[in-house]
Amino acid sequence: MVNIASIGGLTGSVAGSAYVASKHGLIGLTRSTAFLYGADGIRTNAVCPGGVETNIGRSAQPKVEWAYERLSKSFAGHVTRTAAPDEVATLVAWLGSDEAVNVNGAVITSDGGWTS
């Protein structure tokens, strides 16, 4: 199983509170599932993309002006590049393959260094 979380699950300054809380929860679920079901051969990992070339930025902007201003300031200087969707898909496919047989409970960023 490969869950798509976000760097929002690793930080507190990427998006709104509900989004960040849900991504933190998904990372916890990933680790718990890996622990509980790993012995049964079920591997569970999470991928945490940073910016990805989608339309989420146009549709998910905060409706509160001060919140949008804070988020815009937090992104300044951090985003070096955004990923193409197929770049993230390549990582997901690898995690689901037999090549990643010993990877379980991992939370892997794909953010171009944003969180480094």
Side-chain angles (χ1 to χ4, degrees):
M1 181 182 326
V2 180
N3 292 319
I4 306 300
S6 164
I7 60 171
L10 304 171
T11 67
S13 62
V14 172
S17 298
Y19 179 85
V20 169
S22 70
K23 298 306 179 176
H24 275 267
L26 184 56
I27 289 172
L29 178 64
T30 297
R31 290 179 170 153
S32 179
T33 303
F35 174 77
L36 291 172
Y37 299 102
D40 297 323
I42 299 171
R43 294 180 290 124
T44 309
N45 297 291
V47 173
C48 294
V52 180
E53 296 169 7
T54 67
N55 67 352
I56 193 170
R58 284 176 258 146
S59 62
Q61 292 178 355
K63 306 300 181 205
V64 180
E65 188 60 33
W66 64 264
Y68 179 72
E69 289 175 17
R70 283 188 185 172
L71 287 173
S72 296
K73 288 177 185 176
S74 72
F75 293 150
H78 287 86
V79 180
T80 56
R81 72 181 288 274
T82 56
D86 63 328
E87 294 171 336
V88 178
T90 299
L91 175 57
V92 171
W94 178 78
L95 284 169
S97 75
D98 289 339
E99 292 177 337
V101 69
N102 200 42
V103 181
N104 188 30
V107 177
I108 301 173
T109 59
S110 179
D111 67 357
W114 187 346
T115 55
S116 61

